[in-house]
């Protein structure tokens, strides 16, 4: 066997060496390619930097054109606005000129008419004056004295009035001249104050603009520098993030391996841990051949962890090479008081049993086939532990494989349910066994290959490292996101500042232009604010004249007032003497005089209008000519700016094309550089993978070398043992065959005794092996025992044991029960009958189970169908009742709806989703009614009784619910107990309950009949009784409609209120 293992290991080593050589060739090619790429990468980067610099220069040129473009656009915009204003002014002045000419023409047309009216009113006044004179002549005798006095006073008043008029005219003329002389200076002073105010604020404005410009320039420079710094920092963080993510993944993988190792070793007993610790190099059991714990000597996929941990109870057994080694381990346990442990000696394992072909039900996989041993020497031990156990995906499949075929099979499910060959089943509970065997990772390498010595403290340290790494990675990603947001905001701010700076420069330059204009204008305005010497002397003279006129006017006014009072008194006396006729005639004279004055005033106004219209037309014409001149100048400047703008656009277009071309070249170079860098990075990653594979292959080679060396040692050891046995056989020729047989039996008994102590020695299988049968049949060969096992036996002891066993055999032969075979056959028949009965019961159980599952399926289908309909109707009903809300029914466990129940969630209008337990009283009522209506829509009934469903609802919601119920009365009857008026209004019948004389009574009202009765002036039709009473002892149902009629009597529906 050792020679065959050596040959197999050598073949495997050759294959691994070939694979290792191929991987090294790949690694060499990758190294050469990386050197080649890194050699040309520096040139590529230099070329890219040059192109990037050219792109930045082109971008700066384009930015300068953009600034000029902004300036020209602002100037063009200003010129267009000025042109628009001038066009508006020309139109306005043209309209003013036309209006003035039209008014003048109209006034000239009205002048002849006014002149004719003046002549007419003059003649009429003369006629009225003659009539008045005639009346005065008639009254001459009565009023002569009064008239003489009046004439005298009038003659005295005439020169005074004339003198006052002269003084008034002189005063008005002087004041007008003073005002005309002072108006120009007043306007000049106002303009000077405005200009000085604007000039004084101009410095502050320009200073603030310059400060703002400097601040914007500093901010722009800082923003650009910050963008560069942030870009560099973001690139560094990106690289750091990649390294942290890679390191974190490695740490997570290491932690998972450590946890798997710790979990697999967590269930080890104190005895197992002590044996494994003593078996390490330098330990007390380091040379007795302890291979390790059976579960640690093989790996399995994580999918079957629960299955192997449940089906294999021997995973904690210790695998040793020889029985002697197991005996030493037992002595070690006794010595140190570590308890009990189970051992599996490989020299007692049946060879070749696991290589036999086995036909499984439906091609089911064997658990043994899913296990990958780390050392092929332990394969028989693994097969002894699991046997032909099958792995099923679920319990139904496991039951079919275990019972429905001719042979009973041991089956375990993935979730840990086990069916034994005897028919017993185990499983259930809240937890399952796992971690009994090491798990294989994604690369097929055992997770425990490098973590044999892992401890809980090491695992905790690894967890802390992983948490720290995760925290650093999160901080790095958070900082990178912050930098990206900051860069985006800074770029947006740079763009805004780039546009703002030219505008500020233009505004500052505009301040200089305005200051220059105001500075030139101020002396002129100051000179206009002061009167010339001649005008000042004239104003002084006019002021003196005004004062003199006012004093003369005052004295003349006093005298005139006195004379006017005397004249008015005499005129009144004359009028009183003349009576009504005189007053009437005087009124007619006054009317004629007023009409004459009005007409003369209109005539003078028309003449003034003609003059003013001519002046206004001339002024408008002059303003229009000036606006036309300014418009021509603006058009000329605008044409120049437009021409300059077009040339600027063409130049900027060329620069933009150059920029786009440079950007395309830069992008292509960047893509090329990125592709090369990515290729280099991929090659480096592949180098890492190849190195990792190389390390694995080197490890495999070293492992195979060790196994080959171990095979050589084993071969040499067994050769020595064979030589010793041959020499011992030659020395022991005096023993006959019977003695040899006794020695063999004694040795087997000794080994069996040791097997009973170690709990796991496979003596029965050894005794059933072909080698043992050959020994029992022909005694042509001896059992092969290791030299270490033979050392513990002595010939005298074995002979004594043989004698004792022969005595026991003779005593047993005398007392043997010869009827045991018949009894065994009877028991066997009974057993077979019971098995048949069990098979029948199992078949009936399977049929009942299928029927039960079918009923469960039908129940689930019908429930889910109804649940879906009720959920949809609930949404509809709640939205209808609340005018915009929403409701939802959800299963707590969608896989098993009947285990947990249903959650009723509601979203009232303009609110968030809530559980129904967290709603107010009214909201709960509306939700419950919606659910009730949805349930009855799914399964309607003919009669409904509702007790104060509207108690917690407001007027609006009561009306909504009442109207819905009214609509539903087409197909059902409703009896509702309510205290709300708007529920009464929609009822077909009203039943009131009250108490009088300690007796409960009721009154029934038909609202429609009651309304008809009131419309007929109180005459109630005999066929309808709108109001009726009854007591508990006596009812008046006879001849009256009943509210308790069944639904089949008629289609009328009822609502009851109490």
């Amino acid at each position: 066997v050792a020679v065959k293992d050596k040959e197999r290991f050598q073949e495997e080593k050759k294959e691994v060496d070939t694979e290792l050589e191929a991987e090294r060739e790949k690694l060499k090619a990758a190294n050469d390619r990386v050197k080649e790429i890194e050699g040309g990468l520096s040139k590529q980067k230099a070329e890219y930097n040059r192109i990037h610099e050219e792109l930045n220069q082109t971008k700066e040129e384009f930015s300068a054109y953009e600034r000029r473009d902004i300036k020209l656009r602002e100037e063009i915009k200003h010129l267009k606005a000025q042109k628009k204003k001038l066009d508006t002014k020309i139109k306005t002045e043209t309209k003013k000129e036309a209006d003035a000419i039209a008014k003048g023409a109209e006034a000239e047309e009205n002048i002849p008419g006014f002149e004719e009216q003046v002549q007419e009113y003059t003649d009429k006044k003369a006629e009225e004056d003659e009539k008045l004179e005639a009346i005065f002549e008639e009254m001459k005798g009565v009023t002569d004295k009064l008239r003489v006095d009046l004439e005298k006073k009038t003659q005295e008043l005439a020169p005074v009035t004339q003198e006052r008029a002269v003084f008034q005219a002189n005063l008005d003329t002087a004041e007008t001249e003073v005002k005309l002389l002072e108006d120009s200076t007043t306007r000049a002073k106002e303009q000077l104050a405005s200009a000085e105010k604007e000039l004084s604020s101009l410095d502050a404005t320009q200073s603030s603009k310059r400060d703002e410009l400097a601040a914007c320039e500093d901010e722009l420079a800082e923003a650009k520098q910050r963008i560069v710094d942030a870009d560099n920092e973001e690139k560094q963080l990106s690289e750091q993030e990649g390294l942290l993510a890679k390191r974190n993944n490695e740490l997570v993988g290491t932690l998972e391996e450590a946890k798997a190792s710790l979990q697999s070793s967590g269930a080890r007993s104190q005895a197992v841990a002590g044996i494994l610790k003593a078996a390490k190099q330098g330990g007390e059991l380091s040379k007795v051949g302890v291979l390790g714990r059976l579960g640690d000597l093989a790996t399995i996929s994580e999918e079957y962890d629960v299955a192997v941990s449940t089906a294999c109870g021997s995973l904690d057994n210790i695998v040793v090479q020889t029985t002697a080694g197991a005996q030493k381990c037992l002595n070690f346990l006794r010595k140190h008081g570590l308890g009990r442990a189970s051992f599996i000696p490989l020299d007692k394992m049946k060879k070749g049993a696991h290589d036999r072909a086995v036909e499984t039900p439906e091609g089911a996989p064997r658990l043994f086939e899913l296990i990958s041993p780390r050392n092929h020497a332990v394969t028989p031990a693994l097969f002894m532990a699991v046997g032909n156990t099958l792995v099923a995906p679920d319990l139904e499949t496991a039951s079919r494989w275990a019972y429905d075929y001719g042979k009973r099979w041991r089956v375990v499910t993935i979730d840990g349910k086990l069916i034994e060959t005897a028919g017993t089943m185990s499983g259930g509970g809240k937890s399952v066994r796992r971690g009994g065997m090491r798990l294989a990772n994604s690369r097929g390498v055992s997770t425990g290959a490098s973590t044999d010595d892992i401890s809980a403290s090491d695992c905790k340290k690894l967890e802390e490292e992983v948490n720290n790494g995760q925290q650093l990675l999160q901080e790095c990603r958070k900082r990178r996101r912050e930098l990206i947001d900051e860069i985006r905001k800074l770029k947006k701010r740079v763009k805004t500042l780039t546009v703002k700076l030219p505008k500020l420069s233009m505004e500052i330059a505009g301040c200089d232009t305005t200051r220059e204009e105001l500075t030139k204008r101020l002396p002129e305005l100051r000179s206009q604010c002061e009167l010339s010497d001649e005008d000042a002397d004239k104003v002084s003279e006019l002021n003196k004249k005004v004062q003199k006129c006012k004093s003369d006017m005052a004295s003349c006014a006093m005298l005139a007032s006195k004379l006017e009072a005397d004249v008015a008194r005499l005129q009144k006396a004359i009028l009183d003497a003349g009576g009504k006729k005189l007053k009437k005639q005087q009124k007619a004279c006054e009317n004629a005089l007023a009409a004459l004055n009005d007409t003369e005033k209109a005539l003078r106004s028309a003449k003034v209008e003609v003059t003013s219209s001519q002046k206004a037309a001339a002024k408008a014409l002059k303003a229009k000519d000036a606006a036309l001149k300014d418009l021509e100048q603006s058009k000329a400047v605008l044409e120049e700016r437009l021409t300059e703008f077009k040339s600027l656009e063409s130049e900027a277009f060329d620069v933009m094309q150059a920029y786009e071309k440079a950007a395309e070249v830069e992008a292509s170079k960047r893509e090329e550089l990125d592709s090369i860098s990515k290729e280099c990075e991929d090659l480096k990653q592949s180098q890492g993978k190849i190195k990792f594979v190389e390390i694995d292959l080197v490890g495999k080679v070293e492992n195979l070398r060790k196994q080959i060396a171990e095979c050589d040692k084993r071969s040499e050891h067994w050769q020595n043992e064979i030589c010793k046995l041959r020499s011992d056989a030659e020395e022991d020729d005096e023993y006959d065959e019977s003695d040899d047989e006794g020695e063999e039996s004694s040795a087997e008994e000794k080994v069996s005794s040791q097997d009973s102590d170690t709990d796991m020695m496979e003596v029965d299988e050894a005794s059933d092996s072909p080698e043992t049968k050959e020994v029992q049949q022909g005694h042509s060969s001896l059992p092969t025992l290791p030299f270490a096992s033979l050392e513990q036996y002595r010939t005298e002891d074995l002979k004594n044991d043989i004698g004792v066993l022969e005595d026991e055999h003779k005593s047993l032969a005398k007392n043997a029960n010869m009827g045991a075979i018949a009894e065994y056959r009877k028991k066997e028949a009974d057993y077979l009958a019971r098995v048949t009965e069990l098979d029948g019961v199992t078949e009936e159980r399977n049929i009942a189970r299928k029927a039960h599952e079918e009923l469960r399926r039908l129940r689930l289908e019908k429930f889910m169908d109804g649940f879906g309909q009720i959920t949809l109707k609930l949404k509809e009903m709640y939205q209808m009742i609340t005018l915009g809300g929403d409701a939802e029914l959800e299963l707590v466990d969608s896989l098993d709806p009947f285990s947990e129940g249903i959650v009723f969630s509601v979203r009232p209008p303009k609110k968030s989703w809530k559980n129904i337990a967290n709603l107010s009283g009214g909201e709960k009522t509306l939700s419950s009614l919606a659910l009730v209506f949805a349930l009855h829509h799914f399964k309607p009934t003919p009669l409904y009784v509702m007790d104060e469903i509207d108690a917690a609802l407001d007027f609006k919601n009561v009306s909504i619910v009442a109207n819905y119920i009214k609509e539903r009365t087409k197909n059902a009857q409703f009896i509702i107990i309510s205290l709300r008026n708007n529920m009464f209004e929609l009822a077909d019948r009203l039943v009131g309950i009250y108490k009088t004389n300690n007796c409960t009574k009721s009154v029934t009202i038909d609202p429609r009949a009651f309304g008809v009765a009131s419309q007929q002036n109180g005459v109630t039709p005999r066929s309808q009784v709108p109001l009726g009473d009854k007591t508990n002892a006596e009812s008046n149902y006879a001849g009256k409609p009943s509210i308790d009629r069944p639904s089949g009597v008629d289609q009328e529906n009822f609502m009851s209120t109490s």
Side-chain angles (χ1 to χ4, degrees), residues 631-778:
L631 181 61
E632 291 298 327
Q633 292 178 356
S634 298
K635 286 183 177 179
V637 176
L638 181 62
E639 289 295 330
E640 292 178 2
R641 295 293 182 268
L642 289 173
T643 305
E644 184 179 357
F645 182 71
K646 289 181 180 178
S647 63
L648 180 66
E649 278 188 337
S650 61
E651 293 174 3
F653 181 72
D654 296 337
V655 175
M656 186 176 68
Q657 284 185 334
Y659 174 76
E660 291 178 352
K661 187 179 295 183
E664 291 177 358
V665 175
E666 191 265 347
S668 63
K669 288 292 183 182
R670 185 174 65 251
E671 290 178 359
E672 183 178 353
L673 187 62
D674 291 342
S675 63
I676 294 173
S677 301
K678 185 177 180 182
E679 182 183 359
C680 183
E681 187 66 25
D682 293 340
L683 286 172
K684 289 181 179 179
Q685 292 180 359
S686 64
Q687 280 180 328
K689 294 179 180 178
I690 292 172
K691 288 179 180 179
F692 184 77
V693 174
E694 182 183 9
I695 291 171
D696 285 347
L697 292 176
V698 170
K700 288 183 179 179
V701 170
E702 291 297 326
N703 190 19
L704 290 172
R705 285 177 181 173
K706 290 179 181 179
Q707 290 178 345
I708 291 171
E710 183 181 354
C711 289
D712 290 336
K713 291 180 180 179
R714 288 168 56 195
S715 177
E716 183 179 357
H717 170 73
W718 294 122
Q719 289 292 340
N720 294 331
E721 292 296 324
I722 291 171
C723 293
K724 290 180 181 180
L725 289 173
R726 286 176 179 172
S727 62
D728 292 340
E730 291 176 358
E731 292 176 0
D732 295 337
D733 282 339
E734 65 271 12
Y735 293 106
D736 55 7
E737 291 182 358
S738 61
D739 294 336
D740 293 339
E741 183 178 357
E743 291 177 3
E744 178 184 353
S745 175
S746 176
E748 289 295 334
E749 291 293 332
K750 187 71 176 180
V751 172
S752 299
S753 176
Q754 294 173 359
D755 290 345
S756 64
D757 288 339
T758 59
D759 296 336
M760 210 52 183
M761 289 298 191
E762 291 291 337
V763 176
D764 293 337
E765 289 185 9
S767 62
D768 293 337
S769 63
E771 292 84 356
T772 306
K773 291 182 179 179
E774 289 178 2
V775 172
Q776 292 175 351
Q777 291 174 2

Side-chain angles (χ1 to χ4, degrees), residues 270-296:
Q270 183 180 3
V272 175
I275 292 292
L276 294 179
K277 184 176 181 180
K280 292 181 180 179
Q281 187 174 3
E284 188 176 347
L285 301 177
S286 59
K287 297 181 180 180
V288 300
V290 176
L291 298 181
R293 175 178 167 273
L294 179 62
D296 295 339

Side-chain angles (χ1 to χ4, degrees), residues 936 940-946 971-975 1043-1047 1054:
H936 288 291
T941 60
L943 182 63
Y944 297 88
V945 179
M946 299 182 177
N971 301 315
Q973 292 179 329
F974 286 82
I975 298 176
I1043 67 168
D1044 294 329
R1045 287 174 293 181
S1047 60
F1054 304 92

